[in-house]
Amino acid sequence: MELGKNNYKYYQQPREKKKISKELLIFSGFLLVIIVIIFTTFYDGMPITGKAISSVNLNNSVQFSSELTRPDLNLKGEYSEINISFSSKTTIYLGEKSFAFDDSKENSMILSDFSGKIKIEGGGVILDGRVSGANLNGLPIKEKNDKRIKVSSDSKISYSSIDFKENLFLKKLDYIASGVLYVGEENQDSINLDKDPLAISDYLGKLKIIGETLFLEGFAENIDIEGNIKKISISK
Amino acid sequence: MGHTNILIKVRKSRKSYSLVYLMVIVIIGTLVYLNNKGLTIPTIALIISGGFILLLIKFTEVHRIKDWWAITDSALIQSLGLINKNIREVRFSSISDMDIHKPFFKRFLNYGDVNIRLFLNDTSINMKDISRPEKFVEAFQSIISQNRRNSHGIGQE
């Protein structure tokens, strides 16, 4: 209480705590949900999910190439071009069109600007995504108005080769591998693997599977090999 | 508090939650649009969106049903709250007048507040966000008139 001019007593009204209204809370929640949807859709692997994808720092990476046994892969993302050669009795759906193939001859499929999931399991591949266009045995397929086309198949496609034309990123490749790893710019060092646990972290480079062999050529931030008589960890 | 003969029962109109429903439509619309554009929506985003939509709808329904007002042949009953219920019954003879408050936005969707003032009492009954408040007031007044006619008729006999 203060004594103001003319000795009047002024009482300071205690400030009322402002309550956060329910409406404001709901609207804030709504905005947050929209931000989460847009951010996670356009920036795959945001920190909330704990799987942040970042570009590989080539200065801190090991350059290598390899010919290894084929692993099972679950890929998700956007790939500018994927070439698949296959001879498999299957039906491939591109948008509303379906294309039936048999296993009597080798077929080729080129997918442009694929976004979605690719599951490589054994000698088969399952596609679930959309493309801007495709080429099946030389026949180009594109939607009017450049609308993206949904691609899928009724069964696993038995491939003879899969080739990702542009560099792709793998956060972790972890499996029991056999084959050869060439390390260094000029492949000066080679490491033989014989059913050894191999872990490659943050790989950026080319990926090709021909038959039962996985070909990698690129950079990785870390390569770990754990064998019975050897334990090798390579990083820069 | 006998209220065996409820003539009209009203709750908050769902129209008052139209902005909430609009938010739900915007979220679903965004997901559909992104899917049609060929983008893969992560599972975490779908779970968060679905969970938020369910929570919103649950909240609006619970918020709506917790308060209600009913008119019997002789009284107005107000029930506020779901867990801590506050029920108040007001005889027609205590009601002095009623007015409707319909701001600009609510006029489009035809819902508003009905304020029932009482004799000798500061606490009026405020019925928030009633659908078609004019029709409700008209029906209410008609019931009050009928009640007065009946009580005068009994008195005269």
Side-chain angles (χ1 to χ4, degrees), chain A:
Chain A
M1 194 180 74
E2 307 166 350
L3 283 175
K5 207 178 167 184
N6 301 326
N7 288 335
Y8 287 124
K9 293 174 185 174
Y10 291 95
Y11 287 91
Q12 271 183 329
Q13 294 284 350
R15 270 190 192 171
E16 280 179 17
K17 268 187 186 173
K18 275 188 181 175
K19 288 182 191 172
I20 299 169
S21 71
K22 277 181 219 138
E23 289 85 4
L24 191 63
L25 269 172
I26 291 170
F27 188 69
S28 307
F30 161 74
L31 279 179
L32 191 67
V33 168
I34 295 288
I35 288 166
V36 164
I37 291 170
I38 291 169
F39 201 66
T40 55
T41 303
F42 287 101
Y43 298 98
D44 192 10
M46 64 173 294
I48 289 172
T49 61
K51 292 177 188 171
I53 290 179
S54 54
S55 58
V56 174
N57 186 348
L58 298 181
N59 292 328
N60 283 344
S61 302
V62 176
Q63 190 171 358
F64 77 102
S65 61
S66 68
E67 289 176 31
L68 301 165
T69 46
R70 179 188 63 199
D72 289 343
L73 287 171
N74 276 318
L75 303 172
K76 185 183 167 187
E78 292 172 12
Y79 308 97
S80 60
E81 191 176 301
I82 307 169
N83 287 11
I84 302 175
S85 297
F86 64 99
S87 60
S88 169
K89 195 172 179 183
T90 188
T91 304
I92 293 172
Y93 301 97
L94 284 164
E96 287 169 18
K97 299 186 185 108
S98 62
F99 301 88
F101 295 91
D102 61 36
D103 51 8
S104 61
K105 63 166 190 159
E106 192 78 358
N107 301 292
S108 91
M109 173 165 60
I110 302 171
L111 301 171
S112 305
D113 299 319
F114 176 90
S115 73
K117 295 178 193 169
I118 302 168
K119 192 172 179 180
I120 299 170
E121 208 172 60
V125 61
I126 301 167
L127 301 165
D128 180 17
R130 289 178 190 261
V131 293
S132 63
N135 189 303
L136 293 177
N137 289 338
L139 177 73
I141 291 141
K142 216 170 167 75
E143 279 286 319
K144 287 178 193 174
N145 304 323
D146 291 331
K147 200 179 161 185
R148 290 180 69 74
I149 313 166
K150 189 164 166 59
V151 61
S152 62
S153 61
D154 63 347
S155 57
K156 223 190 275 188
I157 303 167
S158 298
Y159 62 89
S160 46
S161 72
I162 301 178
D163 188 4
F164 290 82
K165 282 296 179 193
E166 296 278 319
N167 286 344
L168 68 77
F169 176 81
L170 286 175
K171 181 73 183 165
K172 188 126 187 179
L173 182 60
D174 190 351
Y175 71 113
I176 309 290
S178 299
V180 185
L181 207 72
Y182 302 99
V183 183
E185 274 183 42
E186 285 160 28
N187 298 333
Q188 56 266 37
D189 300 313
S190 66
I191 303 164
N192 290 318
L193 283 85
D194 185 14
K195 292 180 187 169
D196 294 319
L198 168 69
I200 300 172
S201 310
D202 293 323
Y203 169 77
L204 180 72
K206 302 236 186 303
L207 187 149
K208 196 192 295 188
I209 301 176
I210 300 175
E212 292 186 16
T213 308
L214 169 71
F215 295 90
L216 295 173
E217 189 182 332
F219 296 82
E221 293 211 350
N222 207 52
I223 301 171
D224 284 315
I225 303 160
E226 200 164 313
N228 286 329
I229 51 167
K230 60 179 174 288
K231 188 174 177 180
I232 303 166
S233 184
I234 308 164
S235 56
K236 225 174 183 178

Side-chain angles (χ1 to χ4, degrees), chain B residues 24 82 102 128:
Chain B
V24 170
L82 207 58
K102 253 172 130 179
K128 283 190 75 64

Side-chain angles (χ1 to χ4, degrees), chain B residues 104-124:
Chain B
F104 181 70
F105 174 73
K106 292 182 184 181
R107 240 189 281 164
F108 283 107
L109 296 169
N110 199 13
Y111 72 98
D113 302 346
V114 175
N115 195 33
I116 315 279
R117 270 191 287 270
L118 309 173
F119 291 116
L120 303 172
N121 198 320
D122 289 328
T123 316
S124 56

